[in-house]
Amino acid sequence: MADYNSIEELLEGERGESVHVECGRDAVDRAVRFVHRAYANRRCAFYVETDKGFDRDTVRSYLRFFARVAGGSVTAEEVIAHFGLKDAAKTPVKKLTPERRALMNFARMSLFEPEVVFCERPLGDITPDARGLVQAWLGQVVESGGIVITAGEPLREALLMPGTAFYEEDGRFCRAQTDDGDEDPAEYAGDEVRVFKVPAKSGDATLLFDPREVDFVESVNRANFVSVRGELYPVQMTLDELEAELERYGFFRCHRSYIVNVQKVAKVERFTRNSFNLTLADAAQTQIPLAKGRADEMRERYGWK
């Protein structure tokens, strides 16, 4: 699974598959152009940051227009209901919040019953309460045999999407580590009492966090971080070392790149056969990927049905 030298090489190499890329502005623009060319013979739907709608329209009139253009079996009223826009149906587009505008664009795309979906930062303006609506629809596209391509989002958001995540580093596009579920779970060593603090850096200072303060640990672009009260702090320990120390405190290796404090998990969601998310009970309702190979182990270990 070699890295790619350009976004075009990546999308060509992964053609026909759902991919999600953490990348800069230039790569996003090139990705849009590539998808237009490569999938010209498929039903495609696009959503990029410049898609703002028609200011003089209401949400309902905007979506009715595109329902006529699409000429499919899905109605404007159906997508208004699905994306939670009933109370905004009569609102002029120019008065929509960024989240409502984003949901309107997802509703627009769904009218075309697309085989290929391209989104720039799909979760960028979506609050935790509405993320499930978007992720559920994207999951439906994939489950029905479609392709979802996203670009520009942070790697954590890319890992939440159904498909394979990549990140841009020094002009190359690297495949994010995934979990195939074949690794043996670490054995629990026993109940002996041990004291452990998570050492993290903040400027020139070393902070020592009680494990109970840590929401999750993540590995991003070959660097490791702990999340404490919404802030990320770099740590020098490897994820394997942190997993060995933190397991006795109720942490679980939910993905090769993530260790989660299970006490902070509020919800487990499944969007497709192979796509699981953990939602935390923090202020941001942070979502963490749960690798398909670890979902059954997590349910069994903690007695979740």
Side-chain angles (χ1 to χ4, degrees):
M1 297 192 295
D3 297 342
Y4 294 101
N5 294 315
S6 69
I7 190 70
E8 292 87 356
E9 184 180 301
L10 186 162
L11 294 174
E12 181 61 41
E14 303 291 325
R15 187 187 285 233
E17 303 294 331
S18 292
V19 296
H20 313 284
V21 190
E22 179 194 60
C23 59
R25 173 80 262 158
D26 179 64
V28 172
D29 293 339
R30 285 160 39 210
V32 173
R33 293 193 292 270
F34 180 91
V35 173
H36 270 291
R37 294 193 306 270
Y39 296 100
N41 295 324
R42 306 282 297 274
R43 283 197 315 278
C44 296
F46 292 82
Y47 173 31
V48 296
E49 287 187 345
T50 54
D51 290 332
K52 303 297 185 182
F54 309 142
D55 284 350
R56 294 185 180 181
D57 273 338
T58 64
V59 171
R60 177 176 282 118
S61 63
Y62 177 81
L63 293 174
R64 283 179 174 173
F65 168 77
F66 280 101
R68 291 193 297 272
V69 173
S73 61
V74 182
T75 68
E77 297 304 322
E78 286 173 332
V79 300
I80 285 171
H82 178 84
F83 287 97
L85 292 168
K86 281 187 175 181
D87 61 342
K90 297 180 181 180
T91 303
V93 170
K94 64 182 178 182
K95 293 185 178 181
L96 292 176
T97 64
E99 177 181 69
R100 290 297 179 85
R101 195 184 296 265
L103 290 171
M104 182 186 72
N105 274 298
F106 281 107
R108 167 182 58 78
M109 288 193 294
S110 70
L111 289 167
F112 290 84
E113 301 174 80
E115 300 171 294
V116 179
V117 172
F118 180 93
C119 296
E120 178 181 1
R121 284 297 310 273
L123 302 181
D125 291 320
I126 305 295
T127 63
D129 289 340
R131 280 183 200 145
L133 298 173
V134 173
Q135 290 170 307
W137 179 68
L138 294 174
Q140 289 169 9
V141 172
V142 174
E143 289 284 6
S144 63
I147 300 166
V148 175
I149 299 170
T150 65
E153 67 268 73
L155 185 57
R156 189 186 311 142
E157 291 180 9
L159 287 166
L160 293 172
M161 297 294 168
T164 305
F166 293 83
Y167 59 91
E168 183 179 11
E169 182 177 70
D170 298 329
R172 295 178 63 80
F173 292 83
C174 310
R175 189 184 303 265
Q177 288 184 327
T178 57
D179 193 327
D180 58 14
D182 293 333
E183 297 176 11
D184 293 330
E187 289 188 17
Y188 183 64
D191 295 325
E192 69 272 16
V193 175
R194 291 179 59 192
V195 175
F196 176 68
K197 295 281 189 176
V198 181
K201 298 296 291 184
S202 179
D204 294 329
T206 298
L207 306 178
L208 300 175
F209 291 115
D210 187 310
R212 292 171 296 182
E213 297 180 87
V214 177
D215 295 328
F216 62 90
V217 185
E218 72 174 347
S219 179
V220 179
N221 295 355
R222 302 173 188 170
N224 299 330
F225 302 86
V226 293
S227 176
V228 178
R229 293 180 289 276
E231 295 291 332
L232 292 175
Y233 299 90
V235 292
Q236 296 301 313
M237 296 178 70
T238 68
L239 257 65
D240 288 342
E241 291 170 340
L242 286 164
E243 179 185 11
E245 293 288 354
L246 290 172
E247 186 178 25
R248 69 183 61 254
Y249 297 98
F251 284 72
F252 181 76
R253 186 74 170 266
C254 58
H255 185 280
R256 181 170 291 182
S257 299
Y258 287 89
I259 304 170
V260 68
N261 184 344
V262 178
Q263 294 295 335
K264 304 294 183 75
V265 175
K267 183 166 56 175
V268 182
E269 295 178 283
R270 179 176 183 169
F271 294 107
T272 70
R273 285 191 298 272
N274 300 320
S275 178
F276 299 84
N277 293 341
L278 302 174
T279 301
L280 305 188
D282 58 2
Q285 296 182 44
T286 303
Q287 289 186 313
I288 301 297
L290 171 61
K292 64 177 180 178
R294 309 234 173 179
D296 288 341
E297 180 191 344
M298 192 173 196
R299 281 195 293 265
E300 182 177 347
R301 180 179 298 186
Y302 298 104
W304 297 344
K305 303 299 183 182

